[in-house]
Amino acid sequence: MAEASARSRRARGGGGAARRAERTAVSVETARYIERNIPNFEILSEEALEIIEHNAETVLEEIGVNFVQNPAALERWRQAGADVQGERVRLPRGLARQLIATAPSQFTQHARNPARSVEIGGRNLVLAPVYGPPFVHDMEHGRRYATLEDFRNFVRLGYMSKWLHHSGGTVCEPTDVPVNKRHLDMLHAHMTLSDKPFMGSVTEPSRAQDSVDMAGLLFGEDFVRDNTVMTNLINVNSPMTFDDVMMGSLEVYASNNQACIISPFIVGGAMAPTTVAGTLTQVLAEVLAGIAYSQLIRPGAPVIAGAFVTSIDMNSGAPTFGTPEAAHITYGMGQLARRLRLPYRSAGSFTGSKLPDAQAAYETANSLNMGLLSGVNFMLHSCGWLEGGLVASFEKFVMDADQLGVLHHLAKGVYMDENGQAMDAIREVGPGGHYLGCAHTQANFKTAFWRSDLLDYKPYETWIDEGGRDTMALANARVKKLLTDYQQPALDPAINEALSDYVARRKESMPDAFS
């Protein structure tokens, strides 16, 4: 059905030119989304999980959550059986779980290139880039406010990155475009400069509707009505507050069958308790309330249970990343999400460092690995994150994107077939020999080991002769090469024209606003 709709869409668009463009375009290799063949790491006992679940239900029943400046949401909750007093909503024990039972445990997000569609949920892991920084950083120009051309270059890098499955959303904030219009340019970039899946706008409900309308032009309105083509980040204002902007955007997306990531944004010690169990209780309560509300809008609307949680430096008040406490919470929330039979979003290339240095590498490695092992299904911020999320770094984007290949290979697990056991090689070589020339090595050497496309493994003398470049310099050179090699993926000219016209008309319909 989906493939037939896609064929129909292409036929309507003015086929000949589009087909010629598709034939002449350079194909960029993208790895399939990760399918784990390794076990999840489970840190909490059955008793601990039951205590946290009980306490989360108590929070919803006795303390409640706020739905602010949203009378329609309050009325929906009242009709569903909640106790609504002012803007405070208290949910009878079990109501949230009853409502979320209609949410799918797994769904497909379609890309405009069907080969790059992703399955979110189950044992799958989809990797998406950094989201939201107002600043960018590179070696030549340092730290500066992001521009639209920076944004477009990040989309191009994401398209060129083999291990990245998703184009993301607000990869950086293009501050040279008015606030009320920049979402149009960002969506247009994702839709035309890449053919990977992408995210919609959530900064105002009308911008969410623009996202749905533009997706209708790209995929066809009928296809969008029946299929999920966008994921969208709906942050909870922790502690336990759901604002009208985020909920208004959720209402647009859920009613149009588009996926929402319901994600508390928590800095432990400031926006949640200092303890792991206390924070998990609050996160679970917020997730239950947010996802239950999405199902009040449209039963069966696709959702992802999110947990963006980090700790705080009690001396400076700054958020810290790659810490053991964050790992405990990420592992624990993975267990809770699986018990709810919901896809799970967490982890990323997190660091508080100001440069792509050793601190950044340590903290990022800790954060990426905990994401893989905790059972995350959708990993936002998987590459490019710097300075606590204030900065999108070009060099760190390609450094992180390279390391995502490690996650792919770890997730494969250990092959125990005849080739994996390698008994023929052990027999052939015997005591005192070597394996370099044996038949098994010759048959496997091209795929035996993961190999970085960035890091330097050359002898010292060769490294010196090539300029003694550190990793940041190598990454800078790779950014330039990828952008030089980039070729825009083919898009039906009629669709391209319709998108450009929509953006132009919407921009003309409103005055510029920078706040």
Side-chain angles (χ1 to χ4, degrees):
M1 180 76 71
E3 291 180 358
S5 298
R7 285 194 297 272
S8 173
R9 231 170 33 241
R10 286 193 287 270
R12 287 197 306 272
R19 288 192 293 273
R20 286 192 295 275
E22 287 175 359
R23 286 196 297 269
T24 58
V26 173
S27 178
V28 175
E29 183 183 5
T30 297
R32 180 179 167 88
Y33 56 86
I34 292 173
E35 297 175 85
R36 290 180 180 83
N37 287 313
I38 57 175
N40 297 313
F41 183 73
E42 301 199 338
I43 199 168
L44 297 175
S45 67
E46 180 70 19
E47 180 185 12
L49 291 166
E50 289 175 356
I51 289 172
I52 291 167
E53 289 171 336
H54 175 84
N55 289 346
E57 291 279 6
T58 300
V59 169
L60 293 176
E61 183 179 41
E62 297 181 6
I63 301 169
V65 296
N66 283 352
F67 277 74
V68 299
Q69 298 180 325
N70 194 340
L74 299 174
E75 182 57 30
R76 288 188 184 98
W77 278 118
R78 190 176 287 109
Q79 293 295 324
D83 175 22
V84 180
Q85 302 293 330
E87 294 185 323
R88 183 68 59 89
V89 178
R90 293 178 175 85
L91 280 66
R93 190 172 293 271
L95 175 60
R97 287 177 176 273
Q98 175 187 334
L99 291 170
I100 70 171
T102 57
S105 59
Q106 183 169 319
F107 62 91
T108 302
Q109 185 187 348
H110 295 270
R112 72 172 174 93
N113 177 351
R116 291 180 177 161
S117 297
V118 294
E119 289 290 325
I120 299 175
R123 298 196 59 78
N124 305 322
L125 171 56
V126 174
L127 301 168
V130 63
Y131 184 108
F135 300 100
V136 297
H137 184 281
D138 62 30
M139 280 183 64
E140 283 83 7
H141 305 100
R143 185 183 192 265
R144 64 187 187 282
Y145 278 106
T147 66
L148 181 57
E149 188 56 24
D150 290 320
F151 183 92
R152 289 170 174 159
N153 279 334
F154 275 118
V155 173
R156 293 178 180 115
L157 288 174
Y159 172 68
M160 296 291 286
S161 298
K162 176 180 179 180
W163 306 114
L164 196 63
H165 315 120
H166 203 283
S167 194
T170 308
V171 191
C172 63
E173 281 279 358
T175 59
D176 57 337
V177 181
V179 170
N180 61 327
K181 299 179 179 180
R182 65 182 57 157
H183 69 288
L184 297 164
D185 290 312
M186 290 190 284
L187 284 161
H188 189 260
H190 282 302
M191 291 177 176
T192 60
L193 301 180
S194 176
D195 61 4
K196 295 181 179 181
F198 58 89
M199 302 175 74
S201 175
V202 296
T203 52
E204 209 275 334
S206 68
R207 298 167 198 166
Q209 188 60 53
D210 281 333
S211 304
V212 173
D213 293 344
M214 289 179 70
L217 295 174
L218 181 64
F219 291 92
E221 292 180 4
D222 292 345
F223 189 85
V224 171
R225 184 178 59 248
D226 298 332
N227 298 275
T228 298
V229 301
M230 284 182 288
T231 49
N232 309 281
L233 179 60
I234 305 297
N235 280 133
V236 181
N237 283 351
S238 301
M240 298 173 290
T241 301
F242 297 79
D243 68 60
D244 58 320
V245 173
M246 286 284 113
M247 291 302 100
S249 296
L250 179 149
E251 289 158 10
V252 170
Y253 286 123
S255 63
N256 285 279
N257 198 39
Q258 303 307 305
C260 291
I261 305 168
I262 314 297
S263 193
F265 185 95
I266 286 177
V267 178
M271 298 148 74
T274 58
T275 62
V276 169
T279 297
L280 281 170
T281 297
Q282 181 180 311
V283 170
L284 180 58
E286 292 176 355
V287 164
L288 285 169
I291 292 179
Y293 184 64
S294 76
Q295 301 305 294
L296 286 179
I297 301 298
R298 177 170 173 162
V303 290
I304 303 172
F308 180 95
V309 178
T310 187
S311 49
I312 193 171
D313 177 46
M314 288 297 184
N315 291 320
S316 68
T320 53
F321 300 92
T323 61
E325 294 78 20
H328 287 160
I329 293 167
T330 304
Y331 290 132
M333 191 58 202
Q335 291 179 257
L336 292 164
R338 287 191 291 278
R339 286 162 71 93
L340 294 173
R341 298 180 58 80
L342 292 171
Y344 176 39
R345 171 258 164 154
S346 196
S349 62
F350 299 144
T351 180
S353 182
K354 316 306 179 288
L355 292 171
D357 56 10
Q359 177 186 344
Y362 280 127
E363 292 175 347
T364 293
N366 287 345
S367 299
L368 291 177
N369 282 313
M370 77 181 182
L372 176 68
L373 297 176
S374 64
V376 165
N377 300 116
F378 188 87
M379 188 189 292
L380 197 55
H381 311 302
S382 67
C383 60
W385 171 290
L386 199 65
E387 200 182 322
L390 290 173
V391 172
S393 161
F394 283 97
E395 285 83 14
K396 190 166 183 288
F397 191 101
V398 299
M399 291 163 65
D400 294 338
D402 181 72
Q403 287 298 296
L404 297 181
V406 175
L407 301 189
H408 283 75
H409 282 249
L410 281 171
K412 290 178 180 178
V414 178
Y415 294 124
M416 290 304 296
D417 57 6
E418 186 175 340
N419 183 66
Q421 294 175 51
M423 289 301 295
D424 54 340
I426 297 171
R427 288 190 178 98
E428 179 184 342
V429 173
H434 68 78
Y435 289 84
L436 291 176
C438 79
H440 185 271
T441 300
Q442 293 301 306
N444 287 278
F445 77 94
K446 289 185 178 180
T447 58
F449 307 117
W450 174 79
R451 182 174 178 84
S452 170
D453 290 323
L454 174 69
L455 303 181
D456 187 291
Y457 300 114
K458 301 182 182 77
Y460 177 82
E461 292 76 14
T462 306
W463 175 72
I464 285 293
D465 288 344
E466 293 180 352
R469 296 176 295 176
D470 62 12
T471 304
M472 189 169 176
L474 293 170
N476 179 263
R478 181 156 177 79
V479 168
K480 292 174 180 175
K481 182 180 188 310
L482 289 172
L483 292 178
T484 298
D485 291 346
Y486 170 84
Q487 291 191 35
Q488 188 167 340
L491 177 62
D492 187 316
I495 293 175
N496 196 17
E497 183 180 353
L499 288 169
S500 297
D501 180 64
Y502 182 94
V503 170
R505 285 188 291 104
R506 287 290 290 131
K507 284 186 171 184
E508 290 172 2
S509 71
M510 51 187 152
D512 292 352
F514 280 91
S515 62

